[in-house]
C-alpha cells in the first residue's frame, strides 16, 4: 500500500537555526513527490515537485532533495515567517488508471522563534 | 485573484442536514480534485474529475457523498444526512494535466453539531 511518513511531527527552531524535515515513502512506482506549505486555516500552497532520485529544487531559504526512498526539505537560516506545517505528498496510481491523486503525509509543524 | 476559490469558507450544520460546497478551479485547468483534511492530518483524496467526467472515487466517499462538475467548470460536493464524523476541512484542487502540480483552494471548514 502506498504510504508517506513525515518526521518529526513538530519542530521548534530559533531564528537562523538551520534544520531538515524528512519525508519517507513507499509507493509502487514514484511518479512525482510534492512539497506544500500550509498555514493555519488555509489550503496547502505548492512549493516543489521532484521526479527522480538526485533531483534538487530551491526556493529562497528552502531546498528539497530526493532519494529512492525519502525526500528532505532543508531550511537554511529560517525566519519566523517560515513557521507553518510542511506537507509531503506522492503522486499515486489510481484505481481507474493514471496518476490521479496525491497521498499526503501528516506533515511537520514548524515553529521558528525570534 | 485567479486561484482556486471555494464557497462557503465555513459551514456549521446540525446532524442530519444536507450541505453543499462549491469549488471554482483555475480557469484553464481541466482536472479537479476533492480532498478532506482533519486536524493534525494531511489531506485525504476523495474524488477526481477530468473535465465533466468523474473518473475516480475513494473508499472514503460513502453513498452520502456526491460530487458533480457540470460543463467541466465549477464543481459541487454534497453531503447528505451529515454526521459528526463529517466535520473536517474540505479542500478542492485543480491542475492543468496529470503532469502538473495541483493547486489548492482555501478550503471549506465544516462543523457538524
Amino acid at each position: 500500500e502506498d504510504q508517506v511518513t513525515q518526521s518529526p511531527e513538530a519542530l521548534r527552531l530559533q531564528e537562523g537555526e538551520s534544520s531538515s524535515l524528512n519525508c519517507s515513502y513507499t509507493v509502487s512506482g514514484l511518479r512525482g513527490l510534492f512539497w506544500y506549505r500550509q498555514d493555519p486555516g488555509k489550503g496547502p500552497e505548492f512549493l516543489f515537485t521532484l521526479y527522480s532520485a538526485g533531483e534538487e529544487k530551491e526556493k529562497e531559504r528552502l531546498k528539497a532533495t530526493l532519494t529512492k526512498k525519502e525526500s528532505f526539505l532543508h531550511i537554511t537560516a529560517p525566519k519566523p515567517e517560515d513557521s507553518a506545517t510542511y506537507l509531503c505528498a506522492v503522486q499515486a496510481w489510481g484505481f481507474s488508471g493514471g496518476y490521479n491523486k496525491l497521498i499526503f503525509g501528516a506533515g511537520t509543524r514548524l515553529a521558528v522563534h525570534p | 485573484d485567479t486561484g482556486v476559490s471555494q464557497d462557503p469558507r465555513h459551514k456549521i450544520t446540525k446532524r442530519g442536514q444536507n450541505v453543499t460546497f462549491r469549488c471554482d478551479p483555475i480557469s484553464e485547468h481541466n482536472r479537479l480534485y476533492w480532498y478532506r483534511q482533519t486536524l493534525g492530518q494531511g489531506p485525504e483524496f476523495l474524488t477526481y474529475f477530468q473535465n465533466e467526467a468523474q473518473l475516480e472515487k475513494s473508499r472514503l466517499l460513502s453513498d452520502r457523498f456526491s460530487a458533480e462538475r457540470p460543463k467541466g467548470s465549477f464543481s459541487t460536493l454534497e453531503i447528505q444526512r451529515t454526521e459528526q464524523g463529517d466535520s473536517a476541512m474540505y479542500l478542492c484542487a485543480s491542475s492543468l494535466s496529470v503532469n502538473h502540480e495541483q493547486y489548492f483552494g482555501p478550503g471549506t471548514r465544516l462543523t457538524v453539531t
Side-chain angles (χ1 to χ4, degrees):
Chain A
E1 183 179 346
D2 299 334
Q3 193 168 4
V4 177
T5 303
Q6 292 188 245
S7 61
E9 290 185 8
L11 182 61
R12 177 190 171 112
L13 298 174
Q14 289 298 121
E15 184 172 4
E17 180 187 2
S18 301
S19 187
S20 295
L21 313 183
N22 176 263
C23 170
S24 62
Y25 60 89
T26 53
V27 62
S28 50
L30 180 68
R31 177 68 174 84
L33 186 141
F34 300 79
W35 282 98
Y36 286 84
R37 169 190 169 129
Q38 187 173 29
D39 292 303
K42 296 187 177 181
E45 174 189 347
F46 171 74
L47 293 174
F48 303 110
T49 309
L50 301 167
Y51 289 108
S52 57
E55 190 174 358
E56 299 183 353
K57 294 273 181 74
E58 285 190 65
K59 180 180 179 179
E60 297 180 354
R61 295 176 293 282
L62 301 176
K63 183 169 82 171
T65 61
L66 181 65
T67 71
K68 288 186 178 179
K69 294 185 178 180
E70 56 191 350
S71 176
F72 292 93
L73 185 65
H74 308 276
I75 304 176
T76 302
K79 298 182 178 182
E81 53 261 42
D82 295 322
S83 298
T85 295
Y86 290 86
L87 296 165
C88 169
V90 294
Q91 197 168 13
W93 189 262
F95 293 113
S96 63
Y99 291 93
N100 299 324
K101 60 183 178 183
L102 296 179
I103 295 178
F104 282 86
T108 293
R109 295 188 310 278
L110 174 66
V112 182
H113 296 269
Chain B
D1 185 57
T2 57
V4 178
S5 62
Q6 293 187 244
D7 184 72
R9 295 293 309 278
H10 303 276
K11 178 71 177 179
I12 300 174
T13 191
K14 293 184 178 180
R15 189 176 58 183
Q17 298 294 305
N18 299 344
V19 294
T20 299
F21 310 140
R22 176 181 171 123
C23 170
D24 287 271
I26 295 171
S27 59
E28 64 268 28
H29 287 188
N30 61 16
R31 289 171 175 250
L32 187 148
Y33 311 80
W34 285 98
Y35 292 82
R36 180 171 67 187
Q37 186 176 27
T38 54
L39 200 61
Q41 299 299 314
E44 293 177 295
F45 172 80
L46 292 178
T47 189
Y48 147 73
F49 290 86
Q50 181 169 317
N51 299 314
E52 65 276 7
Q54 187 175 19
L55 296 184
E56 184 161 351
K57 292 193 283 188
S58 164
R59 291 186 300 267
L60 293 174
L61 215 63
S62 76
D63 292 343
R64 296 184 297 105
F65 289 71
S66 62
E68 294 181 341
R69 193 183 182 196
K71 303 178 182 178
S73 55
F74 71 91
S75 176
T76 58
L77 178 68
E78 181 183 16
I79 308 175
Q80 296 182 327
R81 304 181 303 282
T82 53
E83 302 173 355
Q84 287 190 321
D86 297 331
S87 296
M89 174 80 90
Y90 289 84
L91 294 162
C92 175
S94 70
S95 70
L96 188 59
S97 77
V98 69
N99 296 320
H100 290 78
E101 55 274 3
Q102 296 179 23
Y103 290 92
F104 283 81
T108 295
R109 168 75 64 189
L110 173 67
T111 302
V112 181
T113 61

